[in-house]
Amino acid sequence: QQQVKQSPQSLIVQKGGISIINCAYENTAFDYFPWYQQFPGKGPALLIAIRPDVSEKKEGRFTISFNKSAKQFSLHIMDSQPGDSATYFCAARTGYKLSFGAGTTVTVRA
Amino acid sequence: NAGVTQTPKFQVLKTGQSMTLQCAQDMNHEYMSWYRQDPGMGLRLIHYSVGAGITDQGEVPNGYNVSRSTTEDFPLRLLSAAPSQTSVYFCASSAQQGFIGYTFGSGTRLTVV
């Protein structure tokens, strides 16, 4: 049973559009929430991360929104580009263990 | 600086065979983990280590063994391969101080027939 529930499973967005991926959790012991980006044939790579005392974090075109009371967080990819086509995983940490969502495959159409 | 190196990249095993997936990191990281990735299930933790000589089980440890005799190496052993162990396996490492997430290797794609 996954501790972090991620949706949607896949999405298609036009170049320049906004991609939104949502994650939810129940375990209040989670204290760090990273997002990973994975290209085919490669290992996941850390994209951006947030701590629960922050409601939003932005790095370039990528923004995490965090709602501690709802136990939800989301990744927004602004001005989506074909190079953003990848699988995105949300994760949550307790100690040094990460629990991952099931992943969202994002396809950006030119 | 190679990061996290996994070998082999691909492997086909027959049911019942044993093998070792190799993982090495050159970043002097204390934390190392093994994950398996299956479609629709994300990454699931198999075993992890917080330093040389210290290992523990993750979510899905059955059928796997690990050891950590050095900081650099963290091999994963499949004792008697089963078709259910067909998966992509990732090794990852992280520094202890200010944990900011794992650096992953490029994976080993294992097929058990």
Side-chain angles (χ1 to χ4, degrees):
Chain A
Q1 184 176 357
Q2 285 190 297
Q3 296 195 55
V4 181
K5 298 192 188 309
Q6 182 172 348
S7 63
Q9 185 175 8
S10 63
L11 67 89
I12 299 173
V13 63
Q14 292 296 121
K15 180 181 176 182
I18 302 173
S19 304
I20 302 174
I21 305 169
N22 300 300
C23 288
Y25 65 97
E26 288 297 327
N27 187 350
T28 55
F30 289 141
D31 63 358
Y32 176 77
F33 299 87
W35 285 86
Y36 283 82
Q37 179 188 56
Q38 185 181 31
F39 294 105
K42 303 292 185 183
L46 181 64
L47 182 64
I48 186 173
I50 197 167
R51 299 189 186 276
D53 54 347
V54 176
S55 61
E56 184 175 281
K57 183 175 181 179
K58 183 177 180 179
E59 288 185 3
R61 295 183 294 105
F62 299 91
T63 299
I64 302 177
S65 297
F66 191 87
N67 186 329
K68 187 174 181 178
S69 60
K71 298 200 217 67
Q72 296 175 348
F73 57 112
S74 60
L75 177 70
H76 292 60
I77 306 174
M78 315 299 286
D79 186 27
S80 296
Q81 299 297 311
D84 297 332
S85 296
T87 299
Y88 294 82
F89 293 95
C90 61
R93 177 191 82 168
T94 54
Y96 31 76
K97 293 188 286 184
L98 290 178
S99 297
F100 285 84
T104 298
T105 299
V106 174
T107 302
V108 182
R109 298 236 190 269
Chain B
N1 189 336
V4 179
T5 302
Q6 291 185 239
T7 55
K9 293 192 181 303
F10 302 94
Q11 183 71 49
V12 178
L13 285 180
K14 293 183 179 179
T15 297
Q17 286 185 317
S18 62
M19 79 159 295
T20 298
L21 307 185
Q22 301 292 343
C23 175
Q25 53 93 6
D26 60 0
M27 298 173 284
N28 200 31
H29 284 172
E30 291 294 320
Y31 298 156
M32 295 188 75
S33 297
W34 276 101
Y35 286 85
R36 59 177 289 174
Q37 182 176 21
D38 302 292
M41 304 194 73
L43 292 97
R44 293 180 293 167
L45 181 64
I46 305 172
H47 285 286
Y48 65 96
S49 170
V50 300
I54 306 169
T55 63
D56 206 346
Q57 297 180 350
E59 301 172 66
V60 289
N62 292 341
Y64 307 95
N65 254 352
V66 293
S67 60
R68 183 100 180 268
S69 56
T70 66
T71 299
E72 294 77 20
D73 299 301
F74 191 42
L76 178 72
R77 296 183 191 83
L78 279 70
L79 308 174
S80 177
S84 62
Q85 293 179 304
T86 294
S87 186
V88 181
Y89 291 85
F90 288 100
C91 178
S93 74
S94 177
Q96 181 179 18
Q97 295 299 324
F99 178 91
I100 59 168
Y102 281 103
T103 298
F104 283 82
S106 58
T108 295
R109 183 173 293 275
L110 175 68
T111 303
V112 182
V113 298

